[in-house]
Amino acid sequence: MKYVTTLQEQDYLLEIIDDEHLRVGDRVYQVDFQAIGDQQFYSLLVDGNSYEAQVFPADDGWHVILQSRLYSVCVEDERDKQLRLASQGSLNPHGEFLLRAPMPGLIVSLPVFSGVKVQKGDVLAVLESMKMQNELRSPRTGVVTRVRVNVGDNVEQKQALLSIE
Amino acid sequence: MKYVTTLQEQDYLLEIIDDEHLRVGDRVYQVDFQAIGDQQFYSLLVDGNSYEAQVFPADDGWHVILQSRLYSVCVEDERDKQLRLASQGSLNPHGEFLLRAPMPGLIVSLPVFSGVKVQKGDVLAVLESMKMQNELRSPRTGVVTRVRVNVGDNVEQKQALLSIE
Amino acid sequence: MFRKVLVANRGEIAVRIIRACRELGIRTVAVFSDADRQSLHVRYADEAYCLGAAPSRESYLRADKIIEIAKVCHCQAIHPGYGFLAERADFALACQDAGLNFIGPRPSAIAAMGDKAVARATVSRAGVAVVPGTEGEGALSDEDLLALAPKIGFPLLVKATAGGGGKGMRQVNSLEEMPSLLQSARREAESSFGDGNVYLEKLVDGARHIEFQILADDQGNVIHLGERECSLQRRHQKLLEESPSAFVGEDDALRQAMGAVAVRAAQAVEYINAGTIEFLVDHKKQYYFLEMNTRLQVEHPVTEWVTGVDIVKEQIHIAQGKPLHYHQRDVSLKGWAIECRINAEDPYQHFMPSIGKITHMTLPSGPGVRVDTGVYPGCEISPFYDSLISKLIVWGKTREEAILRMRQALDEYKIVGVRTNISFHQSLLHSPEFMRGQFDTHFVEEKFNLDKANDGKDYHPEIAAMIATLVTNRQAQQAAQFVQQKPRNTSHWKWLNRREWQRR
Amino acid sequence: MFRKVLVANRGEIAVRIIRACRELGIRTVAVFSDADRQSLHVRYADEAYCLGAAPSRESYLRADKIIEIAKVCHCQAIHPGYGFLAERADFALACQDAGLNFIGPRPSAIAAMGDKAVARATVSRAGVAVVPGTEGEGALSDEDLLALAPKIGFPLLVKATAGGGGKGMRQVNSLEEMPSLLQSARREAESSFGDGNVYLEKLVDGARHIEFQILADDQGNVIHLGERECSLQRRHQKLLEESPSAFVGEDDALRQAMGAVAVRAAQAVEYINAGTIEFLVDHKKQYYFLEMNTRLQVEHPVTEWVTGVDIVKEQIHIAQGKPLHYHQRDVSLKGWAIECRINAEDPYQHFMPSIGKITHMTLPSGPGVRVDTGVYPGCEISPFYDSLISKLIVWGKTREEAILRMRQALDEYKIVGVRTNISFHQSLLHSPEFMRGQFDTHFVEEKFNLDKANDGKDYHPEIAAMIATLVTNRQAQQAAQFVQQKPRNTSHWKWLNRREWQRR
């Protein structure tokens, strides 16, 4: 199986030859890959070097924590990559974004209101939980549309707070 | 639900009144019983006292390890107990007992042979495993019948070694 | 002698106190909220009683219920831990009134140190240098403050007298911007603490936060157990603490001088039991009293390890009216201890708290490693309390050995189910500034960048790419096996049903 | 300086050595059998290579493969741990021939101490008292032994010269029964060690097993690190060790005298690196050399804790040709340390080894607690190696504090999936003989009864009955829910199928 794996804007061409061999670009490595205790962490021996990583699903692929460093990695098989590139022109990156509460808590601040234009990284709401004030930020530029909560509201996990279009 | 629970030849009459109340004999206790992490251990609050126990299934009920002491406990609901007492005369305690290897290992000694009479507690075989010699003992008095292995054999877990009748 | 002690807290500190009691042969009573029935402190105590619903004000802050339980259970004493009721003079007083021993200072000392402005005035009168500012007791009006500000000089800080955790705090750079900032600080203080009083303090630039552990018995003996370096903070929350401090280092004269001042500050309020004097120290080694914490600190283990003193056992000992086990001359700092606070929060998502069930946990262990924790595999991290789930403490003969040991321990520490700041600590321990011991209280927020912290060293993008690809491939294979089974599953339901039964 | 070290072992001791190397900045190479791919030592090492199938002779005893891997990986040294190849002079020699540093004594010292009869003769010539017996070197015939026996006196022990673990050992009570016992001892020794040689030793009744830790560098410095009490054994396997020994106690003259003799015994074979001199000590405080272990011991942590010396790091340091970090005058025993060996075995079933997958594990933690372990939740305990899965070590200011702390730690230690001897240790720690420190090497097997050990105290049959009943009821409820679902499951297979899908 062949994959195109992207990490910090660099593509790696990987081929899984068999259970014990992996090609990266031109080079073939001997690998021994094991899931530890059916959990989110893995042990990898590559030509004898021992690595351990935690791997979490992320929005756009995987978050790999390897030796205390986070790598955001996107893995596509070759066909996926072709399809995505072919259709990229028609993709609309400006759908509605719905901000949800990542955990239960108290809304202590709402510095935006409907109609306000926000930049990526702007604070949309401050949620108090676990005795901390947590800033919820905008993932992209857009306009705030429906604000569904007020300061002082107790919200449940995943409750919709407001939208950005 | 009512139970007759036997422990070291003493019967306890227990009634589970509801999730929070338990009657033992004449006395009603307030209880809060919880399985910890879906494992074999449990937390019990009885009138505020906190106990923790590991509970394993055993041949004839449960093994409860509570504050480092092992209790062998047999629990029957009232109907079971009646049935068992009624049929006890006809029960045959002398069926065949099949000795199986509790773990993989090497048979290093077989001090018995077919036709030998053994007492409860006599050594039937010595199995070497985990660098230790482990004595497998007879659970009751009887006569050795079919010896299926020889000294020097490597046996698998649960492999039949010999029978007692 | 205490025969039974109620522990009015939860989490790792409740477990820590229960362990100390059990090692002293004292029975323990835990209290818990609905969210904590399966917590370690409930499981490890001899007795445990429910206080109420999960929110603190309905459970761990219910002083009335806690005192009632202590009386019904025939406890002799209550240990408040830290947070919750630990620094509430009214609670200490209520314990006293109920005939219960409060394991901590007298209510008057809690009150005196609880109002930050009063505390500054009190220790100042005792000859302890405080950060220059408004030392007068009582409430100052905006006019008073605006008149005093130029004498202190800018930049300065407006701080809430009832303060804590950075609430009601504002940095003021000029007289012009002061009126509006005063107003907002008072408003925030009012809403956070029900007390809008504020005071002014000079902003000490590039300062370190160094604190001294104090022990005092009721027979007039007061000693200090050396210093803790607590400058590594984020949003006024300490993250990593050390004892000794690399800044004080070999300068034992400074250590003894600061220790003596700390003792004097404690004596100024006739302090009893364990407490901590916090100092700000500038780069010229000038030190100023900041505040006193009238309770056990989260970071007490680093002091325990370098001094050999079990602070919690000593607290219990003192509370029974006995003299300290130690004289000042018995106390010396041996080796080096570091503590990392392991929080359930995601360092890659603005340190957002993380909740959920811990599905797997491997603790670090081995020589020189201590873990104080209130969680275990299978338990739930709820959103109701703070995010500190564990403290990892290591000891080494030297700071270098302690750092290398902490790195190894952090590598070994595996928690699955909630995100943690373990990798943040790992990066911090690799930063050149930390390794050199050169940092101030602003370092983490202003100068430390998680992404760039360890560029170069241990950068293995190709390995990360391999692992992500192998995980993807593994999932694809599992999905493929599943799809292959599908036709059989739907067309032979009896077979499926049999399988289903067997699986149970 | 070593840049890379191969660890020729597995389990907790391999992890212990890897931790020490990493804290010294040395890269580590692990080796593993097919059964150990997911073991901690493989996961924690920088590199890891498979040796072969699970049985030791196809993996951890493959000296040739291990040396080959060390060379290919450019290691400078090999640490053998304990067991496996640790006391094989031929392996130490092969390392030397391959240009690798063997972290341990010279092959000649291993050989001299490996033959128990030769060892006795050697140290005896150096003026060290040995248990009275046949001190002559070389093979003695049955005739020789029968002639010598009455001079030694009965009861006596026949022991294999290549011995260990009680194999080839027989107690002889009279001359009459000696010929047949000699024959069976020789036969057992031949089959166990390929060497039928035996020697005689007086049986010292009521003796204690007390050993001294030795450190020696290649510059002629030899020191001891005080004693360890190792009398608590079952079938010649140590179960619980302490330092100091309650028997030696305050008698520092005895400690120093025995320590000096231990140093002399080590010097007799020009010993280098860490080693242990075992003594038998009778109730009159007469002590006799028993044997020397020319390697790191399982129980080294108790000595580490009371002396503050990191023995594994010191081993690596010595192996690099450097002088010891310590003089004899630097060594003193501070506080009290106890180790419990946690074995995967069932104390209620004749200590039968237990295998399986560890489904849950909660480690004890907190102040004064150390765990050295090679397992973690999710790992498999295989039948191929010994049953030691973890060592729990505690420290206290006094023996009393250490005992109370160990009890608390054992209470906290939860392992589900395999049976362990944790409750055995708990009972042992509650026995009056242990608490008084009055026991000999036969105590556990002859005088300690697990069932009666703690009668009276902590006897809660009613609570046990409640728990068993509640578990039964819980199961009945779960079964009832399942039965209720059954009609729906079989008649609405589509619904089931949907459920089944969701569950995946």
Side-chain angles (χ1 to χ4, degrees), chain D residues 140-289:
Chain D
L140 290 167
S141 66
D142 281 7
E143 288 71 40
D144 297 336
L145 294 170
L146 287 165
L148 287 166
K151 295 176 195 159
I152 297 164
F154 296 95
L156 56 74
L157 289 172
V158 177
K159 290 172 102 174
T161 56
K167 281 174 189 162
M169 192 192 292
R170 292 290 183 279
Q171 179 175 339
V172 184
N173 294 316
S174 68
L175 193 59
E176 290 67 46
E177 64 180 30
M178 194 164 154
S180 69
L181 288 169
L182 266 180
Q183 217 179 348
S184 69
R186 282 191 194 276
R187 201 166 49 231
E188 197 170 293
E190 177 70 40
S191 80
S192 296
F193 313 112
D195 177 355
N197 267 325
V198 296
Y199 66 101
L200 305 182
E201 208 178 76
K202 187 169 171 53
L203 185 79
V204 182
D205 204 39
R208 291 195 173 233
H209 176 127
I210 294 174
E211 62 187 28
F212 275 72
Q213 176 70 51
I214 293 295
L215 287 177
D217 63 26
D218 67 3
Q219 296 164 31
N221 304 303
V222 188
I223 64 171
H224 71 86
L225 301 181
E227 82 279 11
R228 288 188 290 257
E229 168 67 70
C230 305
S231 300
L232 295 170
Q233 306 182 354
R234 190 184 156 274
R235 294 167 72 180
H236 306 283
Q237 304 284 326
K238 295 168 190 165
L239 289 166
L240 183 155
E241 299 99 342
E242 304 176 68
S243 182
S245 160
F247 182 79
V248 179
E250 303 289 297
D251 190 348
D252 211 50
L254 176 64
R255 177 172 296 117
Q256 295 312 329
M258 289 179 74
V261 168
V263 166
R264 211 178 314 144
Q267 284 167 332
V269 292
E270 296 183 342
Y271 199 81
I272 293 173
N273 215 287
T276 297
I277 308 289
E278 298 188 337
F279 291 102
L280 276 186
V281 188
D282 70 18
H283 60 280
K284 286 180 273 182
K285 298 194 175 179
Q286 292 297 312
Y287 48 90
Y288 306 98
F289 171 88

Side-chain angles (χ1 to χ4, degrees), chain B residues 3 5 7-8 16 29 35 39-41 52 54 62 67-71 103 130 133-134 136-137, chain D residues 235 348 350 352-353 359-360 383 385 414-416 426 454-455 457 459-462 469 472-474:
Chain B
Y3 293 92
T5 297
L7 190 159
Q8 286 178 351
I16 294 170
Y29 295 89
Q39 293 292 339
Q40 290 170 317
F41 66 98
E52 221 170 81
Q54 280 190 274
W62 301 102
Q67 294 179 357
S68 304
R69 185 190 282 270
L70 180 79
Y71 301 86
M103 68 200 66
M130 294 176 107
Q133 304 212 341
N134 306 292
L136 308 182
R137 290 164 186 275
Chain D
R235 294 167 72 180
Y348 301 107
H350 313 290
M352 185 76 74
T359 54
H360 177 91
Y385 315 108
K414 300 284 187 304
I415 298 175
V416 181
Q426 193 68 278
N454 47 8
D455 252 359
K457 190 183 175 303
Y459 181 54
H460 297 299
E462 196 168 284
T469 308
T472 306
N473 189 59
R474 194 183 151 87

Side-chain angles (χ1 to χ4, degrees), chain A residues 1 17 22 40 48 51 71 94 99 111 114 119 125 135 151-152 160:
Chain A
M1 193 70 184
I17 300 167
L22 183 67
Q40 290 171 318
Y51 298 97
Y71 300 86
H94 301 291
L99 178 69
S114 198
Q119 303 294 321
E135 294 174 337
V151 170

